[in-house]
Amino acid sequence: MILQTFHRKLFLLSLVVALGGCETVQTTQGGVVGIQREQRMAVSSAAMNQSAQTQYAELMAAERQKGTLNRQATQTARVRTIADRLVAQTSVFRPDARSWKWEVNVISSPEVNAWCMPGGKIAVYTGLIEKLQVTDDELAAVMGHEIAHALREHARERASEQAVAGLGISVLSAALGAGDLGQKGMEYAYMGLLGLPNSRAHETEADRMGVELAARAGYNPEAAISLWQKMGQVGAGEPPKFLSTHPSRSDRMRDLGDYAQRVAPLYQQARQRP
């Protein structure tokens, strides 16, 4: 759920730095949910965070000018309270995250959406809150998922992957004399065989980390299931699984159910805290 304009800027940025080579990193600790996949990065974390900070400031300034930023004080306070409780638990996955310059804002829009840019720049849309009539537990599920994307630096990984692939495709297409049509075919092949499955992996990781963050913050992790049930009721259907960047709804709900049970003891412990 990252903005397309942000991704276009990141792609241009990634092309500049891709020639500097890749590094293999583990951006987060595993947590109870056991996220252990190593990631290949060609884009620096500092460059990503700077780009995100600039883009976020521009977006919030535009919303403020339109009069659509944090219009309802009670609603904004509710979202920020939930975010604060989730952010307080991020150190279980990466200790440095508590010191990020987190920002949380609510945008008045009918869109059912929320996102978290690199470095902890969060936006929640009123359409998500009002159309789904989300409970605090369900809102924590959404925000925990989006925060997990930032903790795992999925946007950085995706930009790195696209940069390396874009350079490789261009070089190979030129070497083979494939022309524009041939290059487009290779781009589609890349997306189908590597690009989209990686996006599904990112979504699954964010789902699993999100339920753990919610549980540790004292929110019922099973709310992630009711949240996606509501999503299904307002959605206009979903693309075929093999073309989707997200897991199918049935697979997602089954996995969320499994991991909600796995982190249930954390939720019970959190509820017993004073």
Side-chain angles (χ1 to χ4, degrees):
M1 295 186 182
I2 301 296
L3 299 178
Q4 290 182 353
T5 53
F6 178 57
H7 264 250
R8 284 196 294 269
K9 290 186 178 182
L10 291 183
F11 181 69
L12 292 174
L13 170 68
S14 65
L15 287 176
V16 175
V17 299
L19 290 175
C22 292
E23 61 173 333
T24 301
V25 299
Q26 173 64 283
T27 54
T28 58
Q29 299 170 1
V32 169
V33 295
I35 304 298
Q36 300 293 342
R37 182 179 61 86
E38 291 188 335
Q39 299 158 283
R40 295 279 290 170
M41 301 297 195
V43 181
S44 76
S45 181
M48 289 292 297
N49 289 345
Q50 181 59 51
S51 183
Q53 183 174 340
T54 300
Q55 183 73 7
Y56 188 82
E58 291 174 356
L59 289 168
M60 295 305 108
E63 296 296 338
R64 185 178 294 108
Q65 187 173 15
K66 292 188 295 185
T68 54
L69 188 67
N70 303 324
R71 290 176 60 178
Q72 299 181 39
T74 301
Q75 192 176 64
T76 302
R78 178 193 179 199
V79 170
R80 288 177 173 172
T81 296
I82 294 171
D84 286 346
R85 286 174 57 176
L86 292 168
V87 169
Q89 303 304 319
T90 56
S91 57
V92 71
F93 289 112
R94 52 184 302 166
D96 66 313
R98 290 287 299 276
S99 63
W100 288 2
K101 296 180 180 178
W102 293 88
E103 295 184 60
V104 184
N105 289 289
V106 178
I107 297 173
S108 293
S109 166
E111 187 176 350
V112 178
N113 198 8
W115 41 264
C116 181
M117 284 184 176
K121 309 304 184 185
I122 298 173
V124 176
Y125 291 56
T126 56
L128 183 146
I129 298 170
E130 295 166 0
K131 289 185 179 180
L132 300 187
Q133 291 294 297
V134 288
T135 65
D136 284 0
D137 292 322
E138 290 168 342
L139 191 51
V142 175
M143 297 175 69
H145 173 96
E146 298 303 328
I147 288 170
H149 277 308
L151 296 176
R152 281 293 285 169
E153 298 190 57
H154 284 151
R156 178 185 171 204
E157 184 178 12
R158 192 77 170 138
S160 299
E161 174 192 313
Q162 290 176 353
V164 173
L167 288 172
I169 288 171
S170 296
V171 171
L172 182 60
S173 177
L176 297 177
D180 291 342
L181 184 61
Q183 181 168 337
K184 185 61 67 177
M186 282 187 277
E187 289 172 356
Y188 286 144
Y190 162 75
M191 287 300 294
L193 295 174
L194 181 61
L196 296 184
N198 275 0
S199 291
R200 289 195 288 269
H202 291 177
E203 290 300 316
T204 298
E205 287 179 350
D207 278 348
R208 294 173 181 179
M209 291 173 64
V211 295
E212 180 165 345
L213 285 172
R216 289 181 180 275
Y219 296 104
N220 189 345
E222 292 187 359
I225 301 170
S226 61
L227 169 72
W228 285 105
Q229 288 172 336
K230 289 181 177 181
M231 287 282 197
Q233 293 169 1
V234 301
E238 59 186 5
K241 182 176 179 180
F242 66 91
L243 289 179
S244 176
T245 59
H246 289 221
S248 71
R249 189 172 292 119
S250 60
D251 286 353
R252 178 172 232 161
M253 291 176 65
R254 182 165 51 250
D255 192 72
L256 283 168
D258 291 343
Y259 279 82
Q261 289 299 313
R262 187 176 299 195
V263 301
L266 299 175
Y267 171 54
Q268 296 301 328
Q269 293 169 16
R271 292 185 66 190
Q272 294 171 8
R273 291 197 299 262

